[in-house]
Amino acid sequence: MRSLCRSSHALLAAVLAAPVVCACPAQTPPASQFAGATAAADAISPDLGAATTADAATVDTSAPDAPPSSDAISAKDVALADAAPADGAPVGPIHVCAATAGLGLYAKQLDNGAHDQIAAMAGTGDGGAVVVGKTGNGASQTDLWVARASSLGAKVWSKAFGGTAEDDGRAVLATGGGFALAGMTKSKGAGSADGWLLRLDADGKLLWDKTYGAAGLDEFFALTPAKDGGLVAAGLTRSFGSGLPDGWIVRVDADGGILFDQHYGGSQIDELYAIAALPDGRFAATGSLSSNSNGGSDLWLLIIDAKGKQELSKPFGKVDTDDGRAIAALQDGTLLLTGTAGIKGNPELWTLRMDTSGAVLWQHIAPGNQGEVGRAVAALPDGGAVVVGETNSSIAAGGSQGYDGWLLRYDSWGNLLWEQRLGGPGNEWLTGVLPLADGGFFAAGRLFDSASAAFNGWLVRLDPWGYADCAKLGACKNKVATDCDDGKPCTTDRCETVDGCAHTALPDQSVCGKTGLCANGTCVGN
């Protein structure tokens, strides 16, 4: 497969720095409880500033003084695992699998033993990840939960923040050596729920936290960095606007001071679940729009300038329920979105690429018929995309029963190259994804443990073809992504565990260039 961008080292570096990775909720909630998160490269997110206050209750569930366990590794181990061979040869995929077959790095109960859910993730710059979500009794008392994992999936630290009511983390960024979090709190603030921003250092210590909103219900679902070192959060508000939920965007400086606070939408239910910073300083958001929709609710594209002024509000969809759960901004200013399209009453996973005028460059509805959802999207160096979410259909390859995590790989023209279904005998959902330097992926979400009747956080390390089980890699064990690239735009390139590299012709009429279409595995008309 030859994509639109056969990158040089310079182009590869630029594209890796550019994408904004968005992750969405760990469950299938009602419309007002969707979660979206964004993460961007530190190149456009300098340090967020000095600490101010730290008044949120904190539970530190890390154990730095405990003896090493079987899943603990040292910084030296990580460095050795991630280092290139001395002769400069390419680094192959690093596969570290849990004892539970099919669940990748680990799938385990974290700390409090019940109802730990990951809503979003971000890279840490050292090959690891930081995840955010909630932990608690699964009912009215939950805390915002954040944990850091090494590149091999070992927990570095885990912390909870909150009070006596419901508190929830929905978005996370790695910024300036620390982390910024967004979510909602019912434990403090001005209303029934307030938007909540927190800033942590690299060790998870709370530097400051602030609430935003008024007397009504206000929630943040998404977060993106601004070029000035501040933050831009998106969500919904019932304190301002129509009284029904309106889309809500708040921009703050490095210390959390408000620069603008704006609501968007109309007289119906309108909500924003994800936001991305554009290269020109503007912001693009997506969510669910019922006001001025094409029927029901529609996927919503909202473009605002650096001061919060609306430039574009555009619905996408038909008569059923459609929405956008995640958005990624590319260096060329185009956008990747994923979410759901209502097809005869069933939500199906829907992925689009469009420009900031709302012109659709390509779109794809993934195969399925039992409530598939796209929850996170990331741009890839070859111009393609990776999407994660969940599927409950028997159509997708692999997996087991019930809901399974779902990973889909697209080329730069929107052709589905391959899909991978991940899970065990219970239910699993993927809510975040990070592309890795070796062509593989870090993914996160939640799984349901039927034995304890509880949800657990789930972190999965995947190779370039979406495999997560070390015992089943076969011929793919020592391969890197480029080993199976045949340079042809009208073939899918993947690795089969028995036969190794495999190439399958894309369906005739698949797009393979600005004017090209595939015919018998060959691109014609470019």
Side-chain angles (χ1 to χ4, degrees), residues 147-490:
R148 183 170 182 172
S150 74
S151 62
L152 301 183
K155 183 175 66 179
V156 178
W157 49 256
S158 177
K159 297 177 185 287
F161 301 92
T164 58
E166 183 182 356
D167 307 298
D168 195 352
R170 276 79 174 273
V172 59
L173 299 175
T175 55
F179 306 101
L181 314 176
M184 76 90 186
T185 177
K186 293 185 177 180
S187 294
K188 60 180 181 177
S192 59
D194 276 12
W196 194 17
L197 296 180
L198 305 88
R199 171 72 196 276
L200 312 181
D201 68 13
D203 297 319
K205 179 183 178 181
L206 182 65
L207 301 178
W208 59 257
D209 76 296
K210 296 188 177 183
T211 60
Y212 303 82
L217 184 147
D218 309 299
E219 304 182 53
F220 290 147
F221 298 131
L223 193 63
T224 196
K227 289 184 177 181
D228 63 0
L231 298 167
V232 183
L236 67 86
T237 178
R238 296 192 69 165
S239 294
F240 314 104
S242 68
L244 293 173
D246 276 2
W248 186 36
I249 299 179
V250 178
R251 181 170 181 174
V252 302
D253 61 23
D255 298 316
I258 295 175
L259 300 178
F260 71 72
D261 181 338
Q262 298 286 347
H263 61 89
Y264 308 86
S267 60
Q268 302 300 312
I269 296 174
D270 308 308
E271 302 176 348
L272 293 171
Y273 310 139
I275 190 166
L278 297 173
D280 60 10
R282 297 181 297 162
F283 301 95
T286 191
S288 172
L289 181 72
S290 296
S291 304
N292 303 313
S293 69
N294 297 316
S297 62
D298 285 346
L299 182 150
W300 186 14
L301 175 65
L302 177 70
I303 306 292
I304 62 171
D305 68 14
K307 296 182 179 180
K309 181 180 178 181
Q310 178 177 305
E311 294 188 351
L312 176 74
S313 177
K314 190 170 183 178
F316 297 82
K318 295 185 178 179
V319 295
D320 282 322
T321 299
D322 313 294
D323 58 51
R325 306 293 184 93
I327 190 169
L330 285 72
Q331 189 63 39
D332 65 1
T334 61
L335 303 166
L336 288 165
L337 299 90
T338 194
T340 61
I343 307 295
K344 295 182 179 179
N346 287 321
E348 307 299 343
L349 192 152
W350 188 19
T351 302
L352 309 90
R353 185 169 180 175
M354 64 179 69
D355 63 24
T356 54
S357 73
V360 175
L361 306 178
W362 59 257
Q363 60 179 310
H364 181 266
I365 295 177
N369 57 11
Q370 293 294 326
E372 283 65 41
V373 180
R375 299 196 182 273
V377 60
L380 298 177
D382 63 2
V386 59
V387 172
V388 297
E390 73 259 13
T391 177
N392 193 32
S393 296
S394 59
I395 296 174
S400 55
Q401 61 186 21
Y403 280 98
D404 281 326
W406 203 13
L407 185 144
L408 304 97
R409 173 70 158 92
Y410 292 92
D411 69 11
S412 57
W413 302 109
N415 298 304
L416 180 62
L417 300 180
W418 52 261
E419 57 174 295
Q420 197 71 274
R421 186 168 178 166
L422 304 163
N427 291 311
E428 297 83 23
W429 298 259
L430 289 175
T431 58
V433 64
L434 298 172
L436 298 174
D438 67 359
F441 308 97
F442 233 152
R446 68 165 185 165
L447 55 84
F448 184 75
D449 179 11
S450 57
S452 62
F455 291 102
N456 295 324
W458 190 29
L459 189 64
V460 185
R461 173 65 160 87
L462 302 155
D463 77 357
W465 303 281
Y467 295 123
D469 190 338
C470 293
K472 298 180 180 179
L473 292 174
C476 304
K477 185 173 184 179
N478 297 313
K479 293 189 180 297
V480 295
T482 54
D483 290 342
C484 292
D485 185 353
D486 65 0
K488 298 178 181 180
C490 286

Side-chain angles (χ1 to χ4, degrees), residues 85-137:
D87 61 0
V91 180
I94 302 170
H95 299 284
V96 180
C97 297
T100 305
L103 295 184
L105 286 173
Y106 62 76
K108 64 181 180 182
Q109 201 165 287
L110 294 178
D111 304 312
N112 72 337
H115 299 286
D116 305 307
Q117 301 183 35
I118 295 172
M121 72 186 305
T124 56
D126 59 0
V130 60
V131 299
V132 71
K134 64 181 178 181
T135 182
N137 60 17

